Amino acid sequence: MTNISIAVSTAACPLCMEPGGLVIDQTSLWRVVRVEDANFPAFYRLIWQSHVAEFSDLSEAEALACMRAVTAIEKVLLSALRPTKINLATLGNVVPHLHWHVIARFDWDSHFPNPVWGAALRELAQPAQARLALSLQELDARVAAALQKLGAGLN
Amino acid sequence: MTNISIAVSTAACPLCMEPGGLVIDQTSLWRVVRVEDANFPAFYRLIWQSHVAEFSDLSEAEALACMRAVTAIEKVLLSALRPTKINLATLGNVVPHLHWHVIARFDWDSHFPNPVWGAALRELAQPAQARLALSLQELDARVAAALQKLGAGLN
């Protein structure tokens, strides 16, 4: 399948109007941003460029390209940070424009093992970012490099 | 790619020991169960049969088979229930054995628009299940039929 959704922007949708974070890399299909969250510094979001609500709105080729990019981010976080777990989610209850959360979780983080949307369980003595094995700039660069290796297309 | 992970069960892992819900369908790669949750009755879980922790532990062929099945469940929930949104997530902070949550969300449900792991926002006057357009048995049958159409393999 090679169908590509026509990019339709929706004026009321914040992810159609704004990048939604610090843009790390993008293609015609998706952009990847880093979310600035003090509790979860290694938090990336893949945002589908077209305004679609559900993962199943993608063609199979698009879904494959989407999950390849999500997986590429996950692999960088795993190798660079050795987190306790990766969390992946696409919810969209508030902003129903397809976006995937890719979040490195650590057994010492403010909410672990709760989801990031659950209750905090502890306060950190130092910023979470300071406990990462590398700077966010270096992490961003590694994520960008991994995404760029994927190429832009649907194959 | 045709590599298949060797099924390794881990004695301490509940998803290696137990089905983890009402089994709707299964192949050698995955099983799909319905989770019994009074607040979120249309809640299915795809559990990878082998004990792997992360989505990126799958080969690309396995990942494709996994997301095809997740998408098939999503499509049934969308067409049968007309929910406000589908939520997909693989977290595994508590049970690090790959499983995907596929949850139909409604603007009237107990937590909407919060994630199911967030704070409840309202109490329902009648059980959530009673507001679904069809019985859970009928929904299960439709999910099973959609999964069976996918076939069992990696192609």
Side-chain angles (χ1 to χ4, degrees):
Chain A
M1 292 174 70
T2 55
N3 289 337
I4 300 179
S5 303
I6 296 163
V8 177
S9 66
T10 299
C13 172
L15 292 180
C16 289
M17 301 289 284
E18 292 155 26
L22 177 69
V23 177
I24 304 302
D25 191 35
Q26 60 184 320
T27 70
S28 60
L29 297 175
W30 47 254
R31 62 185 183 271
V32 169
V33 304
R34 179 160 52 74
V35 178
E36 300 201 52
D37 186 317
N39 285 325
F40 310 105
F43 186 160
Y44 293 84
R45 202 172 274 153
L46 180 144
I47 301 165
W48 201 250
Q49 302 282 28
S50 300
H51 185 81
V52 297
E54 303 289 358
F55 183 64
S56 65
D57 290 332
L58 303 185
S59 70
E60 187 162 282
E62 290 171 331
L64 181 61
C66 178
M67 296 314 290
R68 272 187 182 148
V70 166
T71 302
I73 302 167
E74 172 175 310
K75 284 184 174 178
V76 171
L77 300 187
L78 285 166
S79 67
L81 303 177
R82 304 281 167 199
T84 310
K85 193 70 190 67
I86 298 291
N87 290 175
L88 303 179
T90 180
L91 308 178
N93 302 334
V94 177
V95 180
H97 174 133
L98 181 64
H99 57 283
W100 278 93
H101 306 284
V102 184
I103 315 166
R105 301 296 309 277
F106 298 89
D107 56 11
W108 49 258
D109 77 33
S110 57
H111 289 54
F112 197 90
N114 283 349
V116 301
W117 307 280
L121 295 175
R122 62 192 69 85
E123 254 183 70
L124 301 184
Q126 56 176 327
Q129 183 180 336
R131 297 187 61 161
L132 300 185
L134 69 178
S135 72
L136 291 176
Q137 290 65 37
E138 176 62 21
L139 189 61
D140 290 347
R142 292 195 195 182
V143 169
L147 291 168
Q148 283 155 23
K149 274 193 196 158
L150 296 177
L154 280 175
N155 47 36
Chain B
M1 293 176 69
T2 54
N3 289 338
I4 300 179
S5 302
I6 297 164
V8 177
S9 65
T10 299
C13 172
L15 292 180
C16 289
M17 302 288 283
E18 292 155 27
L22 177 69
V23 177
I24 304 301
D25 191 36
Q26 59 184 319
T27 70
S28 60
L29 297 175
W30 47 256
R31 63 184 182 270
V32 170
V33 304
R34 179 159 52 74
V35 178
E36 301 201 52
D37 185 317
N39 285 326
F40 310 105
F43 186 161
Y44 292 84
R45 202 172 274 153
L46 180 144
I47 301 165
W48 201 250
Q49 302 280 28
S50 300
H51 185 83
V52 298
E54 303 289 358
F55 184 63
S56 64
D57 290 332
L58 303 185
S59 70
E60 187 163 281
E62 290 171 332
L64 181 61
C66 179
M67 296 314 290
R68 273 187 181 149
V70 166
T71 302
I73 302 167
E74 173 175 310
K75 285 184 174 176
V76 171
L77 300 188
L78 285 167
S79 66
L81 302 177
R82 304 280 167 199
T84 310
K85 193 69 190 65
I86 297 291
N87 290 175
L88 304 179
T90 179
L91 308 178
N93 302 334
V94 177
V95 179
H97 174 135
L98 181 63
H99 57 283
W100 278 93
H101 306 284
V102 185
I103 315 166
R105 301 296 310 278
F106 298 89
D107 56 11
W108 50 257
D109 77 34
S110 58
H111 289 53
F112 198 91
N114 283 350
V116 302
W117 307 280
L121 296 175
R122 61 192 69 86
E123 253 182 74
L124 301 183
Q126 56 175 327
Q129 184 180 334
R131 296 187 61 160
L132 300 185
L134 69 177
S135 72
L136 291 176
Q137 290 65 37
E138 177 61 22
L139 188 62
D140 290 348
R142 292 195 194 182
V143 169
L147 291 168
Q148 283 155 22
K149 275 192 196 158
L150 296 176
L154 280 175
N155 48 34

